[in-house]
Amino acid sequence: MADFSHFNEDGRAKMVDVGGKDTTVRTAVATGRVLVNRECFDLIKSGGMKKGDVLGTAQVAGIMGAKKTSEIIPMCHPIMINGVNITFNYNEEDLAIEIMSEVKCSGVTGVEMEALSAVSIAALTIYDMCKAVQKDMVIDQVHLVSKSGGKSGDFVWKG
Amino acid sequence: MADFSHFNEDGRAKMVDVGGKDTTVRTAVATGRVLVNRECFDLIKSGGMKKGDVLGTAQVAGIMGAKKTSEIIPMCHPIMINGVNITFNYNEEDLAIEIMSEVKCSGVTGVEMEALSAVSIAALTIYDMCKAVQKDMVIDQVHLVSKSGGKSGDFVWKG
Amino acid sequence: MADFSHFNEDGRAKMVDVGGKDTTVRTAVATGRVLVNRECFDLIKSGGMKKGDVLGTAQVAGIMGAKKTSEIIPMCHPIMINGVNITFNYNEEDLAIEIMSEVKCSGVTGVEMEALSAVSIAALTIYDMCKAVQKDMVIDQVHLVSKSGGKSGDFVWKG
Amino acid sequence: MADFSHFNEDGRAKMVDVGGKDTTVRTAVATGRVLVNRECFDLIKSGGMKKGDVLGTAQVAGIMGAKKTSEIIPMCHPIMINGVNITFNYNEEDLAIEIMSEVKCSGVTGVEMEALSAVSIAALTIYDMCKAVQKDMVIDQVHLVSKSGGKSGDFVWKG
Amino acid sequence: MADFSHFNEDGRAKMVDVGGKDTTVRTAVATGRVLVNRECFDLIKSGGMKKGDVLGTAQVAGIMGAKKTSEIIPMCHPIMINGVNITFNYNEEDLAIEIMSEVKCSGVTGVEMEALSAVSIAALTIYDMCKAVQKDMVIDQVHLVSKSGGKSGDFVWKG
Amino acid sequence: MADFSHFNEDGRAKMVDVGGKDTTVRTAVATGRVLVNRECFDLIKSGGMKKGDVLGTAQVAGIMGAKKTSEIIPMCHPIMINGVNITFNYNEEDLAIEIMSEVKCSGVTGVEMEALSAVSIAALTIYDMCKAVQKDMVIDQVHLVSKSGGKSGDFVWKG
């Protein structure tokens, strides 16, 4: 059964006290993708989308977005991120731009939200850069791939 | 064929000049959802999730996120948003929390990105609030539902 | 009786749509004060407080704080502020540093929150600059003094 | 006599070097209140104020505001907050919404300013959510209640 | 003789009231450069600098920096930027990366500071991306090239 | 020869993983200057520039700018700054306002960028405060003066 102890006494949200947790190396990997049409896919791949180099801009946005996580997600703790990497894959079969982020820190709380924010903001940036060409793109399959470090143990996505 | 004229002369990204566009009322509606397991679904619905009232917090985060769009998406123009609303729906069949955002402005550029950011940040907040209970949640079907106003005309999602 | 129409259909907060409101010149004046002890009062007045020129720093903080209002108050609309001024008064009798802010815009929504934020953040900055000398300072009497412009009419504080 | 050593050589503000201070668990509790009229008080209590659930939104705003402290108060050090909680009390006698915040960190500098910012921003949010009903609300009695940890020792408000 | 009228009554900074100024199209062009050594110059030009594509990242940073101007320069007014472009030139003779920014808006106040911020932040980003290779780079010749629009008339740099 | 290992596998920018680096005391000193004309120089020196106390405002802006470094420079790591100081010097001969910043932290990555950001933002603020009097000011000689701490060793500017 889930632990309800983190409500405050009034049943309202609070930022959980992580003061007693150990400082360990923590890693999280997240993924997501943007479904596009053939024209859009080819334009991104050839580096010829309106507003310029789509994936290069999405990558900078995703990395900066990881750093903004505690500012945009209300109950997230500020974290000293040690490193962020983002990679892209062209999935020809599904006409999808696949995004993979990896975030590391040495701290008392995990970096799952940072990895998921990096993916989401990179995906939104791809949408923005391409929306003059296609408006019915879809962002989907945004989820955690793995995490390590911390009391709650490692996690690996099982699909 | 798509318009490539918005590259700068070096093939690099630029923020497109919208100075010549008309000031009109512009609206955008976007949607997305968070797929959860039964335990998580029931906890959210009963208002008993760790970190407190999940959807109330996600709603505030989504509205504040809409206001942050031009700060997190590199080529987005700053916009004076006139109003934002976010609603949620419990999809019992798919065990999904469905999110719908509506953003309005009177300006020279559309609010699609603001609506999509609101949905994405609300979804990330739901993930954050529930991740102590479930780690394999999935954010999917994030897309524009409709937009109106502006030169490029109205858009309605056709699925 | 108060108007409840601005709830959304689920009884949740939304950013009210101000799209139909007129663009007019709007002004708001707010005030507040910081109650200090004699030592602290004299140090501020002589410009000799730890961390440097207390009121000069508080003034810059208050002006920058006015610009941050829509970022820190969840349902506030972004506003193109036309001007901000902050003045201070030494109230010898009450040992109080009185703060007065005036904010102007030409827009569709008022600047009360910007004026109140400017005062509050200036007051917090005074606290911060003086807390090595005194820890039991009190911020009080923060309120709107007057507003003009907009449909809801002018307001003047009657005490 | 107060310590003036933290001025720089030109008598200008500087961010004091805390590099030599010990990393300890630090806690700060702050309070403040919003004085409202009877109609406003009853509307907040019944959860029926314009713009939605007043205290739920104020709580999210206050927690996010605590995280923004070093961004809005010029000489504040960035801090890795471990936890934030905010509670409200309805003071029927004074028609006041009382706000109490508690902030914790493990660090080299205290969290008084974070606790005071949380209270002030929660109070401003209450004002914003209620200003369509009442414009002459007053924020008062904002002060530190207690602090612990760090070289300067514990503090308890004596009124 | 210069106009001193924009001091407030206490000789303190204020954000000047631009409410009476006309809304016109305003443009500003600014420039600056980063002086590097031969090794660094060649690495940037070949796209092989540590941390990746130096100028692509600097360009995104500069554009986002232009949007942050009113947040980092205390007395700057928030501005709805219409467009930003940044270009780079390799000055082989001086071993300099030259940066040129152009910013446009339709508003009541000029965009000189936005153009200068874009250049400065792009220059700082180049420094950051290259500092593992060279630490004694110099940013110099940061200045306004031209401005148009507004009461104070056009400006063209005369060197 | 320079180390290229910090590219990711696709030749795109990443935030380098600093997880294995030692936590040490790190210091950086940076400088820069603003070249002004005689009228402007005298006005700044006499404290009589439009928009108020030029250097006092520039100093607050520079300190706040140091704290914003990881937000404006895309690949910069967030850092818990321990202290920041900024000093100014009137160079009568060159009609230059010289800016010197010193930043300290205890961390795994250096504070060069924080020191350079502090100088650049202070310089931009001086420009902003004086631009009603002179538009052809120049920011130049922005560079690192010294750094200490960390694996890459100390650095002293040799001109």
Side-chain angles (χ1 to χ4, degrees), chain E residues 41-66:
Chain E
F41 189 86
D42 291 343
L43 280 168
I44 295 172
K45 205 170 172 188
S46 66
M49 181 53 63
K50 266 190 173 205
K51 291 185 179 175
D53 175 19
V54 171
L55 300 189
T57 305
Q59 186 168 38
V60 174
I63 290 171
M64 295 179 85

Side-chain angles (χ1 to χ4, degrees), chain D residues 6-128:
Chain D
H6 295 275
F7 269 117
N8 74 15
E9 57 268 46
D10 302 319
R12 291 191 187 278
K14 68 173 189 180
M15 194 198 289
V16 179
D17 182 8
V18 294
K21 296 172 78 173
D22 289 335
T23 297
T24 63
V25 174
R26 294 159 191 269
T27 303
V29 176
T31 191
R33 59 182 205 168
V34 185
L35 300 173
V36 298
N37 62 23
R38 168 57 61 185
E39 178 187 19
C40 198
F41 188 87
D42 292 342
L43 279 167
I44 294 171
K45 205 170 172 188
S46 65
M49 181 55 62
K50 263 190 177 206
K51 292 186 176 174
D53 175 18
V54 171
L55 300 190
T57 304
Q59 186 168 37
V60 174
I63 291 171
M64 295 179 86
K67 293 190 278 186
K68 274 201 168 302
T69 303
S70 71
E71 197 178 337
I72 59 178
I73 309 298
M75 301 301 143
C76 267
H77 295 79
I79 286 182
M80 295 291 88
I81 294 173
N82 278 344
V84 184
N85 193 13
I86 295 178
T87 54
F88 298 98
N89 182 50
Y90 296 101
N91 183 326
E92 292 273 356
E93 200 169 341
D94 295 348
L95 290 178
I97 311 296
E98 298 172 344
I99 307 163
M100 183 83 77
S101 73
E102 182 178 24
V103 182
K104 295 181 180 175
C105 83
S106 305
V108 293
T109 179
V111 284
E112 301 97 300
M113 294 315 303
E114 282 70 17
L116 287 162
S117 294
V119 164
S120 294
I121 290 172
L124 288 168
T125 300
I126 292 173
Y127 188 99
D128 180 49

